[in-house]
Amino acid sequence: MKERTREDKDLLGSMELPQECLYGIETARALSNFQVTGRPVRMELITAMITVKKAAVLANQDTGRLPEEKAEAIISACDEILRDSHSFRSAFPADALQGGAGTTTNMNVNEVLANLGLRHMGHKPGEYVYLHPLDDVNMGQSTNDVYPTALRIASIGLVRALSQSCSRLQESLQRREQEYDRVVKLGRTEMMDAVPITLGEEFGAYAQAIARDRWRIYKVEERLRQINLGGTAVGNRNNTTRQYMYRVTDHLQELTGYGLARAEYPMDLTQNCDVFVEVSGLLKALAVNLIKISTDLRIMNSGPYGGLSEIHLKPLQEGSTIMPGKVNPVIPEMVTQAALAVIADDSAITSAASMGNFELNAFMPLIADRLLESLTVLDQAVRTLQEKCIDLLEADFAGCRKHLEHALIYATVLSPYIGYEKASELASKCGNDRKKFCEKVIEEGLMTSEELHRVLHAEKLE
């Protein structure tokens, strides 16, 4: 039996679509024109845009511009999707990368809400004479104020989640700091032996770095709260009113629960994307710290016989198809790759933001896709690092201790008492024999036995 179809029309002509298809001709054209990534627009952006649309409908209802029947139909459509967005994934198929500064995404949302609204009104999808995607759903709006506002809302939700994940990772690192505060190990600079430290101090330093990341990411939400909604095409409120601009912001605050504020200069936020670059830059800073920490963990875990073996990461899966018994540090490896992807995303976001022209940036889809991806990837990576690595690792007390048993480390510790040149001379003579080094210090009258033991005890070397 042949599927029933409907004919949708636009400026460029007409197209047949399945009768019950929720999207319309503009989305169908985009499916043909934009076949790049094979990935649809992220659902976080779609649901944020639908929330924006609901706020706009409520504002237009307040100002008397939109009849009650139409307003209620659109609101019902918005609520239906927001209740179970996963069920509507197929209604938003447009590729993540698209020309037109996000117009395709806005049109897709307009069409779906119109067609769902038509169902609520008792009409068929495509009968736009009763409820129109542009005249009604998009009333008082432009892609140029809806899209960046939706991106900010979507980003705030993910920023909050990432900040919380960083907080939990920080707490886990601090627990290790306290647990291993008396586990003495060899500190290293430039991958060479340096001075004694504790394993706890090492984890404490990691905790400090993540604490800075958590605070930076938490604070950057303030930048995202300013919105240009109501500014329409270029930020000067074409085709809308000041009353609408105030009401739509109020409704959006209520719907999201976020402390959103009208931009002092909407044209600024319409054309400039530096705030997204700032957010991305802070994500890159977190990525850099994650790579550093993950690399250290991999090296401290190296072995079990030919490496440092100062910690043991939890074995999570077999590591080789040819070497029986081999287990790899898979979580730090995964985290490193995720962080490298975020650094690459930051480069793309930076370039795209710099290429805006005059009153609009045409490359917002790339900025949105990469920023939301970075936020999501980092959140998952941070949580996995905490739950499957930091919380499960164990210290190798003997492994930490064995690297301290050589003359050079004792020379470094005792040089303030016997002089740099003398310490260097004795270390050269005694090589890896720390016992011989200590004996020489006493034999040559450089320190008494009691003085030597007091210093070594204070440094936790005995």
Side-chain angles (χ1 to χ4, degrees):
M1 183 177 177
K2 186 178 179 181
E3 184 180 13
R4 289 189 301 170
T5 62
R6 70 172 193 261
E7 185 180 48
D8 275 20
K9 298 179 181 180
D10 68 359
L11 175 68
L12 303 181
S14 62
M15 184 179 293
E16 280 199 354
L17 294 170
Q19 177 60 60
E20 297 304 315
C21 185
L22 287 178
Y23 60 76
I25 188 170
E26 299 302 330
T27 306
R29 291 196 190 283
L31 290 175
S32 174
N33 292 331
F34 310 127
Q35 300 180 15
V36 184
T37 68
R39 293 181 290 102
V41 175
R42 295 187 66 92
M43 207 62 192
E44 297 96 336
L45 184 61
I46 296 293
T47 54
M49 191 170 289
I50 290 169
T51 303
V52 171
K53 296 290 179 182
K54 183 176 179 180
V57 171
L58 291 168
N60 284 320
Q61 194 177 29
D62 291 344
T63 58
R65 296 187 67 196
L66 191 62
E68 290 293 323
E69 183 185 16
K70 290 184 175 182
E72 292 302 324
I74 300 170
I75 291 169
S76 296
C78 290
D79 290 341
E80 187 176 351
I81 297 174
L82 293 174
R83 275 195 303 270
D84 185 15
S85 60
H86 179 74
S87 299
F88 289 90
R89 175 69 274 186
S90 62
F92 303 99
D95 197 273
L97 298 187
Q98 52 191 245
T103 298
T104 289
T105 302
N106 189 29
M107 288 297 301
N108 188 181
V109 170
N110 288 333
E111 289 171 341
V112 171
L113 291 178
N115 286 320
L116 268 180
L118 284 167
R119 284 182 178 177
H120 285 288
M121 297 172 74
H123 302 292
K124 297 177 182 178
E127 294 184 335
Y128 298 137
V129 65
Y130 301 107
L131 186 67
H132 198 276
L134 296 177
D135 293 338
D136 299 316
V137 179
N138 199 64
M139 180 183 289
Q141 305 152 57
S142 164
T143 298
N144 306 347
D145 64 342
V146 167
Y147 195 99
T149 297
L151 177 54
R152 286 164 183 264
I153 290 169
S155 297
I156 287 173
L158 294 175
V159 159
R160 289 186 175 186
L162 178 56
S163 179
Q164 285 296 312
S165 294
C166 285
S167 179
R168 288 190 289 269
L169 175 58
Q170 177 192 341
E171 290 169 359
S172 291
L173 291 167
Q174 287 170 333
R175 283 195 295 272
R176 293 304 189 186
E177 176 187 7
Q178 296 167 3
E179 183 179 357
Y180 299 142
D181 69 331
R182 299 190 66 80
V183 180
V184 184
K185 59 160 285 185
L186 178 63
R188 299 175 179 88
T189 59
E190 300 180 68
M191 298 297 287
M192 303 300 287
D193 300 351
V195 298
I197 63 170
T198 68
L199 187 59
E201 288 172 331
E202 199 130 48
F203 280 98
Y206 302 151
Q208 290 296 315
I210 297 301
R212 286 193 298 275
D213 287 316
R214 180 194 65 79
W215 180 245
R216 285 188 290 241
I217 291 167
Y218 171 77
K219 290 294 289 181
V220 83
E221 180 186 319
E222 295 176 5
R223 299 287 199 194
L224 293 166
R225 289 180 193 156
Q226 278 203 341
I227 58 173
N228 65 331
L229 190 60
T232 65
V234 296
N236 60 3
R237 300 196 312 275
N238 294 99
N239 299 330
T240 190
T241 65
R242 180 179 293 274
Q243 184 185 11
Y244 164 84
M245 187 174 186
Y246 280 89
R247 293 301 299 142
V248 74
T249 304
D250 291 343
H251 281 299
L252 197 54
Q253 288 174 337
E254 294 170 5
L255 292 172
T256 61
Y258 300 155
L260 304 172
R262 291 177 295 277
E264 294 180 8
Y265 207 92
M267 187 176 288
D268 166 30
L269 301 192
T270 304
Q271 64 179 252
N272 296 318
C273 295
D274 56 287
V275 168
F276 302 122
V277 178
E278 181 179 4
V279 176
S280 178
L282 298 184
L283 300 184
K284 180 175 72 172
L286 170 58
V288 167
N289 282 334
L290 291 175
I291 292 172
K292 198 282 182 184
I293 293 169
S294 295
T295 301
D296 283 358
L297 293 174
R298 288 170 56 222
I299 296 173
M300 285 193 285
N301 179 74
S302 61
Y305 305 111
L308 298 188
S309 293
E310 293 178 340
I311 62 171
H312 297 304
L313 302 182
K314 179 78 172 179
L316 295 176
Q317 59 188 73
E318 291 190 270
S320 175
T321 59
I322 191 173
M323 293 172 280
K326 188 172 187 288
V327 178
N328 298 325
V330 292
I331 300 303
E333 290 172 347
M334 178 278 294
V335 170
T336 297
Q337 292 174 81
L340 289 171
V342 168
I343 292 171
D345 287 345
D346 177 69
S347 178
I349 291 167
T350 301
S351 296
S354 71
M355 295 174 69
N357 303 118
F358 300 110
E359 279 64 63
L360 184 64
N361 189 308
F363 309 104
M364 282 288 290
L366 175 61
I367 294 172
D369 184 60
R370 292 298 85 203
L371 182 61
L372 297 179
E373 176 76 5
S374 289
L375 283 162
T376 302
V377 165
L378 275 180
D379 182 46
Q380 295 291 343
V382 167
R383 283 198 286 161
T384 304
L385 180 64
Q386 176 230 322
E387 295 170 0
K388 293 186 176 292
C389 185
I390 303 302
D391 286 352
L392 302 180
L393 65 82
E394 296 178 351
D396 186 325
F397 302 100
C400 287
R401 186 72 196 183
K402 72 180 179 181
H403 299 301
L404 294 169
E405 301 298 312
H406 60 79
L408 185 58
I409 191 69
Y410 284 78
T412 301
V413 169
L414 296 178
S415 63
Y417 304 92
I418 66 176
Y420 184 94
E421 290 186 4
K422 192 63 179 179
S424 180
E425 175 192 329
L426 293 181
S428 179
K429 288 180 181 179
C430 299
N432 287 330
D433 193 336
R434 60 98 183 171
K435 184 177 180 182
K436 184 178 179 181
F437 179 89
C438 292
E439 289 173 349
K440 284 287 185 182
V441 169
I442 297 171
E443 285 175 10
E444 296 191 17
L446 299 171
M447 297 180 73
T448 66
S449 176
E450 292 76 11
E451 289 171 336
L452 176 64
H453 291 308
R454 185 168 62 250
V455 171
L456 295 182
H457 180 75
E459 294 292 337
K460 301 179 182 177
L461 286 174
E462 66 172 24

